[in-house]
Amino acid sequence: MYRYSVPPMLRNLRALSAILAKAEAHCTARKIEPEALLGFRLFPDMLPLTRQVQLACDFAARASARLAGADMPSFPDTETSFAQLIARIRTATDYIESFDAGQFEGAESRSITMKQRGGEVTMTGLDYLTGFALPNFYFHTATAYDILRHNGLEIGKMDYVGS
């Protein structure tokens, strides 16, 4: 469970951080107000770039905590700049890196209970990881990438995938 959650989420968070650094440089080079990208939405009922990054961090950190049986982290949503979003990613990656593989032993059958809009939902760790945490994490990282690509940032698949 550790292998299929922590390394890929760390890789994508680091890639997202690098993309945000490119976006900040893009704004500077083209004299674009950063808020134009930070507040951009692909469609009016979607969340803006800033919130996509915050949620990607939240899903990664909370998934790690739940699967390891640890206390849930809480990060205030106060970021208003690329630098602050990059710092949030670093905070999330530091938190995730604090876990070791041993803490995930038995996580596939661990009972995970979450509050959802319709009430509490309980599932196994495996179902939580594959059916909830990873899909949501990848949705928000891909949407952040898409927002920036849509706005002219010259990035490609390898930027999203990371190295």
Side-chain angles (χ1 to χ4, degrees), residues 77-138:
D77 298 327
T78 58
E79 296 82 13
T80 59
S81 69
F82 286 110
Q84 290 172 344
L85 288 174
I86 291 167
R88 182 183 181 121
I89 292 171
R90 185 67 205 156
T91 298
T93 58
D94 287 347
Y95 176 78
I96 295 164
E97 288 174 331
S98 73
F99 294 105
D100 63 54
Q103 292 172 278
F104 285 68
E105 286 184 29
E108 64 278 355
S109 59
R110 182 172 288 133
S111 181
I112 307 286
T113 300
M114 303 179 307
K115 291 182 181 177
Q116 297 267 309
R117 290 183 186 138
E120 286 192 345
V121 175
T122 301
M123 61 190 85
T124 66
L126 181 61
D127 289 340
Y128 166 74
L129 179 65
T130 60
F132 183 81
L134 286 178
N136 278 284
F137 171 73
Y138 287 123

Side-chain angles (χ1 to χ4, degrees), residues 6-22:
V6 171
M9 288 189 293
L10 287 173
R11 181 178 177 162
N12 273 69
L13 285 173
R14 289 184 181 116
L16 182 57
S17 182
I19 289 169
L20 292 174
K22 287 183 179 186

Side-chain angles (χ1 to χ4, degrees), residues 8-24 49-58 60 82 85-90 92-93 137-148 153 155 157-163:
M9 288 189 293
L10 287 173
R11 181 178 177 162
N12 273 69
L13 285 173
R14 289 184 181 116
L16 182 57
S17 182
I19 289 169
L20 292 174
K22 287 183 179 186
E24 185 172 34
L49 174 63
T50 296
R51 192 72 182 116
Q52 300 294 342
V53 175
Q54 291 166 339
L55 286 167
C57 292
D58 291 350
F82 286 110
L85 288 174
I86 291 167
R88 182 183 181 121
I89 292 171
R90 185 67 205 156
T93 58
F137 171 73
Y138 287 123
F139 173 83
H140 291 292
T141 57
T143 302
Y145 168 92
D146 293 341
I147 287 170
L148 293 170
L153 188 62
I155 51 177
K157 185 191 294 186
M158 291 313 297
D159 293 290
Y160 174 78
V161 173
S163 58

